[in-house]
């Protein structure tokens, strides 16, 4: 049986290409058909529709934009759900609320399928390089079956217990990522507006203990004002909302996240939601201009 892959967006397409390049028997589908053409060239079968993917595959990976897209593709709430998922393993790799994932697992299992959460940490470039980090959750036997399939995509995979443990882990990691990149961007803005040489500032940062894989990826983008998307500001805002909702649901404070939340809302409101997350620089610059 083939491996199914649904959703060929910024992350999904390079992930699917990694699987195809590794020789996985892959069948793919995307709402926008032209996005599937590189997969066809890489040897994957491009399905005419979602039903064909489920008919050909016993494991189907979903890398979809949001909860509504997952529900639509699965036919959730309709008889189509059982027709698609019965006897198959659904692997939810996108980022949604933990509560949604818990309910989705119940529906998939009731329809005769198996369910695994497998959100990934990393953006477009790590996806292209097979350097993602996956977090898996679900029934132990289903997780054990899915984990080796993700090897071409990931440098490491971690088992996080039952669902929604993987999504809660992903949100925890993303909280650090969001505050880290926002802090880097604000520091860059401060150095630049103090008249420092931007390249020298970033070189000093890179030589010290604060340097990281994230800073080394994002610093050149700040220096060159390169806002080409690796992780879109709109997606960061969505993640910010999910983390904030999870925090409020358990009575947790999230003071740093809340500041970032406001900045990414401003970034998106200014029309930069499709740019990389370092475009939060634009919101910081706008606040600076407003204080003069």
């Amino acid at each position: 049986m083939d491996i199914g892959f649904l959703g060929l967006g910024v992350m999904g397409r390079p992930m699917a290409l990694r699987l195809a390049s590794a020789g996985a028997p892959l069948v793919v589908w995307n709402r926008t058909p032209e996005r599937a053409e590189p997969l066809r060239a890489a040897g994957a079968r491009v399905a005419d529709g979602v039903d064909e993917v489920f008919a050909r595959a016993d494991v189907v990976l979903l890398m979809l934009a949001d909860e509504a897209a997952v529900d639509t593709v699965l036919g959730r709430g309709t008889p189509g759900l059982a027709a698609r998922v019965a006897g198959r393993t659904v692997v939810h790799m996108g980022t949604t609320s933990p509560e949604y994932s818990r309910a989705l697992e119940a529906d998939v299992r009731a329809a005769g399928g198996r369910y695994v959460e497998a959100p990934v940490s990393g953006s477009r470039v790590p996806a292209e390089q097979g350097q993602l980090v996956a977090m898996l959750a679900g029934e132990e036997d289903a997780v054990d079956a899915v984990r080796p399939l993700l090897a071409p995509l990931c440098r490491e995979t971690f088992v996080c217990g039952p669902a929604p443990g993987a999504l809660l882990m992903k949100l925890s990691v993303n909280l650090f990522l969001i505050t880290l990149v926002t802090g880097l961007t604000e520091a860059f803005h401060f150095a630049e507006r103090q008249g420092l040489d931007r390249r020298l500032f970033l070189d000093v940062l890179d030589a010290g203990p604060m340097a990281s894989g994230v800073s080394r990826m994002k610093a050149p983008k700040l220096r060159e004002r390169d806002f080409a998307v690796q992780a879109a500001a709109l997606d960061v805002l969505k993640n910010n909302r999910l983390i904030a909702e999870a925090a409020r649901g358990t009575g947790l404070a999230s003071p740093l996240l809340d500041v970032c939340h406001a900045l990414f809302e401003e970034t998106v409101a200014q029309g930069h939601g499709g740019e990389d997350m370092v475009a939060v620089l634009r919101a910081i610059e706008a606040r600076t201009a407003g204080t003069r």
Side-chain angles (χ1 to χ4, degrees), residues 87-279:
R88 293 166 178 81
T89 301
V90 174
V91 184
H92 175 33
M93 302 192 74
T95 305
T96 59
S97 75
E99 292 78 10
Y100 169 83
S101 182
R102 185 184 286 112
L104 178 60
E105 179 186 38
D107 286 353
V108 168
R109 293 178 64 180
R114 300 199 298 176
Y115 180 81
V116 174
E117 284 181 349
V120 293
S121 182
S123 56
R124 178 179 56 81
V125 172
E128 292 171 344
Q129 297 172 346
Q131 293 295 303
L132 298 171
V133 174
M135 293 143 277
L136 292 87
E139 291 182 281
E140 186 175 348
D141 58 344
V143 168
D144 288 345
V146 167
R147 194 176 189 184
L149 301 181
L150 305 184
L153 310 178
C154 303
R155 59 183 175 86
E156 287 199 60
T157 58
F158 295 91
V159 177
C160 301
L167 272 167
L168 286 168
M169 186 69 73
K170 171 71 185 293
L171 296 183
S172 301
V173 170
N174 278 5
L175 196 161
F176 181 48
L177 172 66
I178 292 166
T179 55
L180 179 68
V181 173
T182 305
L184 171 65
T185 303
E186 184 175 338
F188 176 84
H189 174 71
F190 177 85
E192 182 181 46
R193 295 304 174 95
Q194 295 294 340
L196 300 179
D197 180 280
R198 296 181 301 170
R199 185 179 298 273
L200 179 60
F201 163 69
L202 294 174
D203 286 345
V204 171
L205 176 67
D206 193 50
M210 287 81 71
S212 67
V214 171
S215 69
R216 289 175 179 138
M217 183 178 296
K218 297 303 186 185
K221 294 179 73 63
L222 287 167
R223 185 184 66 232
E224 305 301 330
R225 295 186 71 87
D226 170 18
F227 301 120
V229 66
Q230 292 174 341
L234 185 60
D235 290 335
V236 173
L237 178 58
K238 181 192 84 167
N239 275 265
N240 214 315
R241 287 171 176 156
L242 291 173
I243 300 165
E245 289 169 2
R248 300 301 173 265
T250 48
L252 299 178
S254 55
L256 295 180
L257 181 78
D258 295 345
V259 172
C260 296
H261 198 158
L263 286 167
F264 277 97
E265 282 184 331
E266 293 164 24
T267 304
V268 171
Q270 292 168 16
H272 306 298
E275 297 177 349
D276 189 72
M277 65 187 300
V278 295

Side-chain angles (χ1 to χ4, degrees), residues 2 8 32 35 75 119 130 164 215 221 246 285:
D2 292 340
L8 303 174
T32 307
R35 292 197 65 83
S215 69
K221 294 179 73 63
E285 289 174 337

Side-chain angles (χ1 to χ4, degrees), residues 71-84:
D71 287 348
T72 299
V73 163
L74 293 180
R76 193 165 174 224
T78 75
L81 176 65
R84 289 172 180 166

